Structures are given as structure tokens and as C-alpha cells.
Amino acid sequence: MSLSNLTESQRHGMSELFRKIAPVVDELGELFADRGYEIALVGGSVRDVLLGRIGNDLDLTTDARPETVLELIRDWADSIWTIGIDFGTVGARKGNWLLEITTYRSESYDPRSRKPEVIYGDTLEGDLARRDFAVNAMALRLPGREFVDPHGGLDDLHAKVLRTPGPPERSFDDDPLRMLRAARFASQLGFTVDPATFAAMTAMADRIEIVSAERIREELDKLICGAHPREGLGHLVQSGLAAHVLPELPGLRLEIDEHHRHKDVYEHTLIVLEQAIDLEEKGPDRILRWAALMHDVGKPKTRRHEPGGRVSFHHHEVVGAKITKKRMTELRFPKDVVADVSRLVELHLRFHGYGGGEWTDSAVRRYVRDAGHLLDRLHKLTRADCTTRNRRKAQALSRTYDQLEERIARLAEEEELGKIRPELDGNEIQEILGVPPGPVIGRAYKFLLDMRMDEGIIGKEAAAEALRAWAEENGILS
């Protein structure tokens, strides 16, 4: 297919791409051609160029087997890695470019296995036919730069539609993770899923259970960090996939929020997620986004019908934190991510005890200390959690939180809140009490820390006097 079929902007993108990468792809294409092998730029690399997005990662495909690829590029690449070689992929770096060169292949799942079986192919057309979506099934043969698009990916790109190259049932049966990828690409690219493909996702949703938790986590994380997560999450819920990979999300759909009776908690959650994204300063913040998504997952289990038709969700933040920790652990998220997200879920209602600003300085110090390194994210989550349509109420909440942040800033300047410690360290406590390291020192440290939070800075002498009095009351000093 000729590049003349492309729009003017797409031809410009291609020209810009080749201006940048010509030294790499031309050399590589000739290197393979001289040895009688095919190689082509493929998949997301071609798609992104046509969308006007040029990164430093290049995906290529070849009829050469992995061992041959290693031999061909050994003296050409600046560095090589083989972590994906079992799946036919060899990684390489050439200058600032990162390349993944994958042997033509097809892959499918045994119904009883969580791992795909990789079968090598012999033609570029065969390789493109087994790719997930037509927009990812376009290629540029090298070194001649022939544009190959056997499945109408360019038309789909123009229409912003996700469609499988062949029957979606066969595609999803070969690799069920592609159903999640459809939702992920809807989030990342803002594309819709064509009706036949979506119908197959719905009919085959339970097939996703054969896929490993790690692969599911990777897709969900990319979806949440995409430019349009609402669209991606909507595809998950509407297709029934969410019931298998993130059941807490559809579980929110009919749980009416007592503060926002005009919408269910599912809709409220999506709005909170969008508002949290609006508060991001340096690109996608996965911790903040996951906390926004999970902040109300404790409501279904804590829902109570009260007299007068009122609905309550007492302690849903505590229950939600436990649910969040369990779900994210099962999805194999790193421990620090699990801890941070579940902690934000636990703390997201703390501000509402502030009332009209009645908190003492001690309470403000505790708020800061409990949030720790998550304080800035807690500020954003708390603000995002206001979805009332009552403008006066929303403005009042915003002013109150402004006041809290101002108090935090003032106390931080006066006392370095982020570094609050007791006025006596462990060695000083041991010397005053005359006891060796052990549980008593830990209890004394906690006492002094609580006093520091309640009373602020009182000086070492006063702190030592208070410590002695505490020790006498608790039978440590006689």
C-alpha cells in the first residue's frame, strides 16, 4: 500500500519519523535484508506515528528466529537484553532508541493454562492477522518503507474505532487479555469499541479468569493512568469484565451516597476520579488515581437504612481500606503502592471532622502526621471528593479546606510538621529513666510523641519532667 493513502498530517508524521530514525531503521533493514531476512516496523509504533506521537520506543517484527536476531544485531546494537526471548522478543538499544524485535508469531491459551503458547510464523501478513486490533496491525517493511495494512487499520484509526483483525471470538479465545486491552486503549486513545468486538467481550468476559494477575494488573494500571479512564472503566463495567477483575467497581452502581442522593456511588466515584486528575501537576499519579477509584468501595458492606429513609455508611473508609488492600494485593501491586492507596482510602473522610475550623493545633498536627508523605495527595483526594451540585455548599467546603491548608502551612513553618519527633530521643529517654533499650523505651517514646502533638514544643526540661511523672504513674520509676 502506498503512503499516498495517508492524510497530509500522517504523511508529515511519517516523514518526521524517518527523519529521526532513518539512521537506525535503514541500517537495521539493510542488515537483515543482506542476510535474506525480512523486518518491519509494526504495531503501536506505526499507530502512534500516524496519531502524531513519536516516542523513543520502536517495535519491529521479523521472520528471523530469536537466536538469529541475536546474531545479526550483536555487533550493531549498543546493548542487548533477552528477558523476553522465550516469547520471541529480543531487546536492544541503539543510541537513544529502544527497540523490541519480535519473531513473526501467533499465540493462544490452553483453556487450563494461564500462560500463552507461542508459535512462530513465517509471514508478515500472518503476524499482523494475530494482533489484537486492526489499528495495531499496520506495518512498514524495511528498508523499502512499504506501508502494509491488510485489515483496514488506517480506516479504523480515522474513525477512532477498535476492531479485531479477524473474528473477535477467535481473537479473544487466543488471548483473553485482549478484552482488557480494548478497555485500556479506550482510556489511552479515547477510541470506542466496535459493536461486534464489544459483544464478544461481553459474551466471553469470564474467559479473562485464565489470565495471570500480573498481566491483568498491568492493563488495569495503564487504563487508570490513561487520558480517558472513565471510558475505559465504562467498557469494563458494561461488558461484565469488571466483575471478574475489579468487582468492587460494579458493586458501587446501586449504592446511593447519602451526601449526593442525585447520583449513585459509581457515578460519584468516576467524577471524583476525573476531578482528582484535574488536580494533578506532573502527569498521571497512579497512587492518587487508584485512591480516587477505590475511596468508596467500603460503602456496599456498610450500608444501613436509618429512620426517615436516610441511608448511612458508617466507617466505610476503614472497611474500604481493607478491601482496597486485599484487592490490590491479589492483583500483585507492589507493597508500597498497596500501602499508600489503602492509607489514602482510610484517611479520605478525616477532613470532614474539621467542621467549621474547630480543630485544635494538636488535631491539625495529627492530621499531618497521619498523612505523612501522602499529605499532598490527601489534599487533592479530599478536594476531588466534593461532587455536590449545590454551589454554595461546594464553595463552603473549598473555603474550609483552604483554611485547613493555611493552618498546616503556618504550623509547618513554625514547627516543621513533616519532621515532628519527641523532644527527647531514645538515648535521652534511657538516661532519664535508667532503663536499657526495650518495650519501655518504645512506650515512653510514644508518650512523648503524643505530648508533642498535643502541646507543641515545650522544651527539653519540661519534656524530661513530664517523662518522669509518666514513668512514676506507670510504675517505671519508684
Side-chain angles (χ1 to χ4, degrees), residues 169-376:
E169 294 82 4
R170 184 181 68 193
S171 179
F172 296 154
D173 195 52
D174 284 346
D175 186 355
L177 191 68
R178 291 172 178 170
M179 296 185 287
L180 279 190
R181 284 193 195 130
R184 188 247 290 184
F185 284 126
S187 170
Q188 289 183 324
L189 304 176
F191 285 16
T192 60
V193 179
D194 94 297
T197 301
F198 188 80
M201 289 168 59
T202 303
M204 302 176 67
D206 61 348
R207 186 88 168 97
I208 196 66
E209 294 189 1
I210 200 65
V211 181
S212 69
E214 289 83 0
R215 297 184 79 207
I216 290 173
R217 176 206 65 222
E218 184 176 354
E219 293 299 324
L220 289 176
D221 208 31
K222 290 178 180 178
L223 186 160
I224 293 300
C225 291
H228 313 276
R230 173 187 276 268
E231 284 75 4
L233 293 169
H235 281 86
L236 288 185
V237 172
Q238 293 160 23
S239 66
L241 280 165
H244 299 278
V245 300
L246 198 63
E248 295 77 13
L249 186 59
L252 296 173
R253 296 185 81 177
L254 299 178
E255 300 298 331
I256 304 302
D257 187 335
E258 78 278 19
H259 296 303
H260 313 280
R261 294 185 180 181
H262 56 277
K263 64 177 75 71
D264 63 25
V265 179
Y266 171 74
E267 178 64 19
H268 164 73
T269 294
L270 295 182
I271 295 173
V272 172
L273 175 59
E274 290 178 322
Q275 294 186 164
I277 291 171
D278 288 341
L279 296 173
E280 291 176 338
E281 299 168 1
K282 299 179 181 179
D285 183 339
R286 72 195 298 220
I287 303 297
L288 177 62
R289 292 192 182 198
W290 274 102
L293 183 67
M294 303 296 285
H295 79 284
D296 273 350
V297 295
K299 283 190 170 179
K301 284 193 174 183
T302 58
R303 187 184 190 190
R304 298 291 183 272
H305 293 280
E306 306 290 352
R310 183 174 173 271
V311 179
S312 67
F313 302 93
H314 296 307
H315 306 300
H316 75 267
E317 73 280 11
V318 177
V319 174
K322 293 178 180 178
I323 293 173
T324 298
K325 182 177 181 179
K326 182 175 184 294
R327 173 60 52 202
M328 297 190 76
T329 299
E330 289 178 352
L331 287 170
R332 305 292 193 270
F333 274 91
K335 291 182 179 179
D336 60 330
V337 174
V338 175
D340 285 352
V341 174
S342 57
R343 184 60 169 161
L344 283 171
V345 172
E346 182 181 2
L347 293 174
H348 84 273
L349 283 186
R350 185 71 63 86
F351 160 71
H352 293 285
Y354 189 68
E358 296 88 357
W359 276 4
T360 62
D361 283 353
S362 171
V364 174
R365 293 188 194 101
R366 290 181 184 279
Y367 185 83
V368 173
R369 180 169 180 82
D370 288 348
H373 69 283
L374 298 169
L375 182 62
D376 183 62

Side-chain angles (χ1 to χ4, degrees), residues 358-428:
E358 296 88 357
W359 276 4
T360 62
D361 283 353
S362 171
V364 174
R365 293 188 194 101
R366 290 181 184 279
Y367 185 83
V368 173
R369 180 169 180 82
D370 288 348
H373 69 283
L374 298 169
L375 182 62
D376 183 62
R377 289 184 173 117
L378 182 58
H379 288 332
K380 292 182 173 67
L381 178 60
T382 301
R383 290 185 181 276
D385 195 24
C386 176
T387 62
T388 178
R389 292 179 180 174
N390 185 319
R391 182 177 298 179
R392 182 176 299 178
K393 182 178 180 181
Q395 290 175 341
L397 284 170
S398 180
R399 285 195 302 269
T400 303
Y401 206 82
D402 287 343
Q403 180 190 39
L404 175 59
E405 287 200 67
E406 289 169 3
R407 290 185 64 188
I408 290 172
R410 175 176 55 81
L411 287 172
E413 184 176 353
E414 294 173 355
E415 306 179 16
E416 296 188 20
L417 277 184
K419 302 178 181 179
I420 283 184
R421 299 289 186 275
E423 294 187 71
L424 302 175
D425 62 25
N427 291 329
E428 291 170 321

